[in-house]
mmCIF file of all heavy atoms in Angstrom:
data_model
loop_
_atom_site.group_PDB
_atom_site.id
_atom_site.type_symbol
_atom_site.label_atom_id
_atom_site.label_comp_id
_atom_site.label_asym_id
_atom_site.label_seq_id
_atom_site.Cartn_x
_atom_site.Cartn_y
_atom_site.Cartn_z
ATOM 1 N N PRO A 119 27.097 21.712 144.042
ATOM 2 C CA PRO A 119 26.514 22.261 145.273
ATOM 3 C C PRO A 119 25.016 22.491 145.104
ATOM 4 O O PRO A 119 24.548 22.842 144.019
ATOM 5 C CB PRO A 119 27.249 23.593 145.447
ATOM 6 C CG PRO A 119 28.477 23.490 144.588
ATOM 7 C CD PRO A 119 28.115 22.581 143.458
ATOM 8 N N LEU A 120 24.278 22.258 146.171
ATOM 9 C CA LEU A 120 22.840 22.485 146.108
ATOM 10 C C LEU A 120 22.552 23.975 145.971
ATOM 11 O O LEU A 120 23.164 24.807 146.630
ATOM 12 C CB LEU A 120 22.176 21.951 147.379
ATOM 13 C CG LEU A 120 22.149 20.428 147.528
ATOM 14 C CD1 LEU A 120 21.506 20.067 148.844
ATOM 15 C CD2 LEU A 120 21.417 19.783 146.380
ATOM 16 N N LYS A 121 21.625 24.295 145.110
ATOM 17 C CA LYS A 121 21.271 25.696 144.895
ATOM 18 C C LYS A 121 20.014 26.086 145.653
ATOM 19 O O LYS A 121 19.695 27.257 145.779
ATOM 20 C CB LYS A 121 21.073 25.953 143.395
ATOM 21 C CG LYS A 121 22.342 25.720 142.583
ATOM 22 C CD LYS A 121 22.100 25.957 141.106
ATOM 23 C CE LYS A 121 23.368 25.723 140.290
ATOM 24 N NZ LYS A 121 23.152 25.925 138.840
ATOM 25 N N GLN A 122 19.281 25.064 146.128
ATOM 26 C CA GLN A 122 18.019 25.386 146.794
ATOM 27 C C GLN A 122 17.976 24.750 148.176
ATOM 28 O O GLN A 122 18.825 25.017 149.017
ATOM 29 C CB GLN A 122 16.851 24.926 145.913
ATOM 30 C CG GLN A 122 16.832 25.651 144.556
ATOM 31 C CD GLN A 122 15.716 25.139 143.665
ATOM 32 O OE1 GLN A 122 15.163 24.083 143.898
ATOM 33 N NE2 GLN A 122 15.386 25.907 142.632
ATOM 34 N N SER A 123 17.026 23.857 148.396
ATOM 35 C CA SER A 123 16.762 23.348 149.731
ATOM 36 C C SER A 123 17.756 22.269 150.161
ATOM 37 O O SER A 123 18.278 21.509 149.342
ATOM 38 C CB SER A 123 15.343 22.776 149.772
ATOM 39 O OG SER A 123 15.085 22.156 151.007
ATOM 40 N N THR A 124 18.000 22.218 151.485
ATOM 41 C CA THR A 124 18.711 21.086 152.081
ATOM 42 C C THR A 124 17.781 20.320 153.016
ATOM 43 O O THR A 124 18.236 19.592 153.897
ATOM 44 C CB THR A 124 19.938 21.571 152.871
ATOM 45 O OG1 THR A 124 19.515 22.477 153.882
ATOM 46 C CG2 THR A 124 20.955 22.233 151.963
ATOM 47 N N ASP A 125 16.493 20.507 152.827
ATOM 48 C CA ASP A 125 15.495 19.803 153.636
ATOM 49 C C ASP A 125 15.422 18.362 153.149
ATOM 50 O O ASP A 125 15.045 18.099 152.001
ATOM 51 C CB ASP A 125 14.134 20.489 153.476
ATOM 52 C CG ASP A 125 13.081 19.886 154.395
ATOM 53 O OD1 ASP A 125 13.288 18.738 154.866
ATOM 54 O OD2 ASP A 125 12.059 20.544 154.632
ATOM 55 N N PRO A 126 15.761 17.369 153.995
ATOM 56 C CA PRO A 126 15.768 15.969 153.544
ATOM 57 C C PRO A 126 14.395 15.420 153.195
ATOM 58 O O PRO A 126 14.301 14.337 152.630
ATOM 59 C CB PRO A 126 16.383 15.221 154.734
ATOM 60 C CG PRO A 126 16.187 16.104 155.899
ATOM 61 C CD PRO A 126 16.218 17.497 155.384
ATOM 62 N N THR A 127 13.318 16.163 153.522
ATOM 63 C CA THR A 127 11.991 15.728 153.086
ATOM 64 C C THR A 127 11.665 16.239 151.687
ATOM 65 O O THR A 127 10.633 15.887 151.127
ATOM 66 C CB THR A 127 10.916 16.227 154.068
ATOM 67 O OG1 THR A 127 10.882 17.656 154.055
ATOM 68 C CG2 THR A 127 11.196 15.716 155.468
ATOM 69 N N GLU A 128 12.572 17.058 151.125
ATOM 70 C CA GLU A 128 12.320 17.644 149.814
ATOM 71 C C GLU A 128 13.341 17.232 148.761
ATOM 72 O O GLU A 128 13.062 17.287 147.568
ATOM 73 C CB GLU A 128 12.304 19.176 149.920
ATOM 74 C CG GLU A 128 11.200 19.717 150.824
ATOM 75 C CD GLU A 128 11.270 21.233 150.954
ATOM 76 O OE1 GLU A 128 12.225 21.835 150.388
ATOM 77 O OE2 GLU A 128 10.395 21.820 151.617
ATOM 78 N N VAL A 129 14.541 16.855 149.198
ATOM 79 C CA VAL A 129 15.590 16.501 148.238
ATOM 80 C C VAL A 129 16.065 15.083 148.505
ATOM 81 O O VAL A 129 15.994 14.589 149.643
ATOM 82 C CB VAL A 129 16.779 17.486 148.327
ATOM 83 C CG1 VAL A 129 16.334 18.896 148.000
ATOM 84 C CG2 VAL A 129 17.431 17.425 149.689
ATOM 85 N N PRO A 130 16.567 14.394 147.489
ATOM 86 C CA PRO A 130 17.083 13.029 147.690
ATOM 87 C C PRO A 130 18.268 13.024 148.643
ATOM 88 O O PRO A 130 19.072 13.962 148.674
ATOM 89 C CB PRO A 130 17.507 12.605 146.286
ATOM 90 C CG PRO A 130 16.764 13.505 145.351
ATOM 91 C CD PRO A 130 16.606 14.801 146.069
ATOM 92 N N THR A 131 18.368 11.959 149.415
ATOM 93 C CA THR A 131 19.507 11.808 150.326
ATOM 94 C C THR A 131 20.827 11.836 149.567
ATOM 95 O O THR A 131 21.836 12.320 150.080
ATOM 96 C CB THR A 131 19.373 10.494 151.114
ATOM 97 O OG1 THR A 131 18.216 10.567 151.952
ATOM 98 C CG2 THR A 131 20.589 10.226 151.977
ATOM 99 N N SER A 132 20.827 11.359 148.336
ATOM 100 C CA SER A 132 22.060 11.340 147.535
ATOM 101 C C SER A 132 22.574 12.748 147.255
ATOM 102 O O SER A 132 23.757 12.925 146.928
ATOM 103 C CB SER A 132 21.823 10.596 146.216
ATOM 104 O OG SER A 132 20.787 11.214 145.477
ATOM 105 N N ASP A 133 21.710 13.761 147.367
ATOM 106 C CA ASP A 133 22.168 15.143 147.204
ATOM 107 C C ASP A 133 22.817 15.684 148.474
ATOM 108 O O ASP A 133 23.483 16.720 148.444
ATOM 109 C CB ASP A 133 20.989 16.052 146.834
ATOM 110 C CG ASP A 133 20.541 15.859 145.389
ATOM 111 O OD1 ASP A 133 21.268 15.184 144.638
ATOM 112 O OD2 ASP A 133 19.467 16.372 145.034
ATOM 113 N N LEU A 134 22.601 14.989 149.579
ATOM 114 C CA LEU A 134 23.111 15.458 150.861
ATOM 115 C C LEU A 134 24.304 14.642 151.361
ATOM 116 O O LEU A 134 25.151 15.164 152.091
ATOM 117 C CB LEU A 134 22.003 15.399 151.920
ATOM 118 C CG LEU A 134 20.697 16.142 151.591
ATOM 119 C CD1 LEU A 134 19.672 15.891 152.690
ATOM 120 C CD2 LEU A 134 20.959 17.629 151.415
ATOM 121 N N VAL A 135 24.343 13.369 150.975
ATOM 122 C CA VAL A 135 25.353 12.466 151.531
ATOM 123 C C VAL A 135 25.950 11.590 150.433
ATOM 124 O O VAL A 135 25.218 11.031 149.612
ATOM 125 C CB VAL A 135 24.739 11.539 152.616
ATOM 126 C CG1 VAL A 135 25.830 10.741 153.316
ATOM 127 C CG2 VAL A 135 23.927 12.321 153.617
ATOM 128 N N HIS A 136 27.283 11.489 150.421
ATOM 129 C CA HIS A 136 27.944 10.459 149.618
ATOM 130 C C HIS A 136 27.764 9.123 150.334
ATOM 131 O O HIS A 136 28.032 9.013 151.536
ATOM 132 C CB HIS A 136 29.445 10.724 149.484
ATOM 133 C CG HIS A 136 29.791 11.933 148.665
ATOM 134 N ND1 HIS A 136 29.588 12.000 147.306
ATOM 135 C CD2 HIS A 136 30.366 13.110 149.020
ATOM 136 C CE1 HIS A 136 30.018 13.168 146.852
ATOM 137 N NE2 HIS A 136 30.485 13.864 147.867
#
Side-chain angles (χ1 to χ4, degrees):
L120 290 178
K121 297 179 180 179
Q122 298 177 343
S123 174
T124 58
D125 185 341
T127 64
E128 298 177 357
V129 299
T131 295
S132 59
D133 286 349
L134 305 176
V135 188
H136 292 291

